[in-house]
Amino acid sequence: MATIRDVSKIAGVSVATVSRTLSKPDKVSAKTRKIVEEAILKTNYKPDILARNFRTRKSSTIVVLVPDIANPFFSRVIRGIEQTAQRLGYAVLLGDTQGERSREITYANMVKTSQADGIIQLDSHVPFEKNNKHGAPIVNACDCIRDTDIPTIEIDNALAAQKMTEYLISLGHQNIGVITGPINSTITQDRLKGYQQALEEASIDFLFENIKLGDHSIQSGAKATLDLMNNKNPPSAIFCMNDEMAIGAIKQVKDMGLSVPDDISIAGFDDISFAKYFDPSLTTISQPAEEFGSKAMAMLYDIINKNDPVQKNTFLDFELIIRASTGANKNAS
């Protein structure tokens, strides 16, 4: 069986360099890393992970808490986490919490018992019984926790929602319905603020009857759309707070014998992979899902290894993507 010394000999580097390449690949130049990786392949060397973990008191595993593992947006975030974790020598354990606090606490306790080295939380809850008083390494991405010291990675959701609402207003829509996510979610609250800000700046009244609660599923988008269309004065446009609900909304409108966007405009949020292939293609806010994951993993790695101070709040860019599901309000005066 090949040893680390065999790898060192073939690569022409020290044993310490091979060890560093395996444990802290970001601390080794790309050229050296490639040489060592090629030597590992030639020798078929298998590092003793258990022994290394015993020495370092680390598990080389991180936990990712996902509120809905079936959500296409989160699958892209997880891909970004996985790619960076692999490069940094970490395995990823996924916890599909379904938004349940008890599940979050169970997974979070794995850090306390040294079964995992840190946590990436993709929901707006502190996943600890006592607000992380023991100081477990944690990063929060996407739907962010407020009023804590936990580092966060997000977009400016209020501004993104404001830009989408302003775009719909520019098309002549004054009566704009909104299908929200769970009301206790930070992103729901932020996006509602952005929607209200756009209405206020355009001197358009905010109507509670135009706000319908969804849960980010296609089914909830369809149901909320039916509720909106049963309003005494149905909206001419609907802004859905994720793409899946927007797809449900379009299906419901079509089932009612109406056309999108001729009779009603519908917009989403996230720009999931099939948003541009749906009929009609979906106007939406694109946010960098893979970058959320990659940056969250890199940030958690720095916290675990006590590297340079981590930035408290990181904001990523978003983009308004205009497609065929939105159009001018033909009834506008």
Side-chain angles (χ1 to χ4, degrees):
M1 183 180 293
T3 68
I4 194 170
R5 294 186 182 279
D6 296 324
V7 176
S8 169
K9 185 176 179 180
I10 290 177
V13 299
S14 67
V15 170
T17 298
V18 176
S19 178
R20 192 178 305 111
T21 302
L22 291 170
S23 62
K24 297 183 178 181
D26 59 319
K27 301 297 184 182
V28 180
S29 70
K31 181 180 178 181
T32 300
R33 191 164 60 241
K34 183 178 179 182
I35 292 171
V36 172
E37 288 171 351
E38 288 175 350
I40 289 171
L41 289 174
K42 286 180 182 178
T43 60
N44 197 30
Y45 172 64
K46 299 290 189 295
D48 190 341
I49 299 298
L50 288 176
R52 186 185 76 187
N53 291 347
F54 181 78
R55 290 193 305 271
T56 62
R57 297 182 182 274
K58 292 180 180 178
S59 68
S60 295
T61 299
I62 63 105
V63 176
V64 179
L65 303 182
V66 191
D68 181 5
I69 205 167
N71 185 305
F73 174 75
F74 286 126
S75 70
R76 290 172 54 207
V77 176
I78 292 165
R79 181 186 303 155
I81 293 171
E82 282 275 8
Q83 289 174 343
T84 301
Q86 286 290 319
R87 180 174 62 81
L88 295 173
Y90 276 80
V92 175
L93 175 65
L94 296 179
D96 185 11
T97 66
Q98 298 175 33
E100 294 183 11
R101 179 166 173 76
S102 60
R103 293 192 183 200
E104 292 178 342
I105 292 172
T106 297
Y107 281 109
N109 283 341
M110 293 181 69
V111 178
K112 292 183 181 180
T113 56
S114 301
Q115 297 175 75
D117 297 336
I119 299 167
I120 296 176
Q121 166 67 299
L122 301 181
D123 208 346
S124 56
H125 310 131
V126 177
F128 300 100
E129 292 176 292
K130 297 181 179 179
N131 202 27
N132 197 27
K133 289 185 178 180
H134 66 291
I138 180 171
V139 171
N140 177 215
C142 303
D143 196 353
C144 288
I145 303 165
R146 301 292 184 229
D147 302 322
T148 73
D149 292 329
I150 296 173
T152 62
I153 302 173
E154 59 186 314
I155 65 166
D156 188 332
N157 282 282
L159 181 60
Q162 181 178 345
K163 294 297 183 185
M164 177 62 81
T165 308
E166 288 173 348
Y167 168 67
L168 294 173
I169 292 171
S170 76
L171 295 174
H173 298 286
Q174 300 272 309
N175 189 8
I176 302 171
V178 172
I179 302 177
T180 76
I183 199 61
N184 61 345
S185 162
T186 301
I187 58 173
T188 294
Q189 295 166 10
D190 287 348
R191 291 172 190 176
L192 268 178
K193 289 177 185 175
Y195 164 78
Q196 289 180 267
Q197 182 69 24
L199 294 185
E200 183 179 331
E201 292 183 2
S203 299
I204 298 172
D205 291 338
F206 173 83
L207 305 175
F208 283 103
E209 67 182 25
N210 276 346
I211 311 300
K212 303 298 179 183
L213 186 65
D215 62 10
H216 291 153
S217 69
I218 291 174
Q219 294 81 1
S220 72
K223 181 183 182 303
T225 297
L226 182 60
D227 291 342
L228 283 168
M229 298 308 289
N230 283 330
N231 282 354
K232 183 177 180 180
N233 183 22
S236 63
I238 299 175
F239 169 35
C240 303
M241 291 195 182
N242 83 334
D243 289 345
E244 288 184 89
M245 292 193 297
I247 287 169
I250 291 174
K251 176 67 165 56
Q252 180 61 49
V253 168
K254 287 183 175 181
D255 287 350
M256 297 173 71
L258 300 174
S259 171
V260 177
D262 291 341
D263 295 312
I264 184 166
S265 288
I266 295 177
F269 204 111
D270 287 343
D271 197 24
I272 59 178
S273 58
F274 46 83
K276 62 182 174 184
Y277 299 110
F278 198 70
D279 182 25
S281 58
L282 190 60
T283 293
T284 187
I285 295 290
S286 177
Q287 49 179 338
E290 287 86 357
E291 189 178 359
F292 270 121
S294 178
K295 285 190 177 295
M297 182 62 223
M299 185 180 287
L300 182 61
Y301 178 85
D302 284 341
I303 294 172
I304 291 169
N305 291 281
K306 297 179 172 56
N307 291 337
D308 294 336
V310 172
Q311 185 174 337
K312 176 68 170 61
N313 301 108
T314 300
F315 285 88
L316 304 183
D317 293 333
F318 65 85
E319 183 181 2
L320 171 62
I321 305 294
I322 299 171
R323 298 195 181 106
S325 67
T326 52
N329 180 7
K330 296 181 178 179
N331 297 319
S333 55

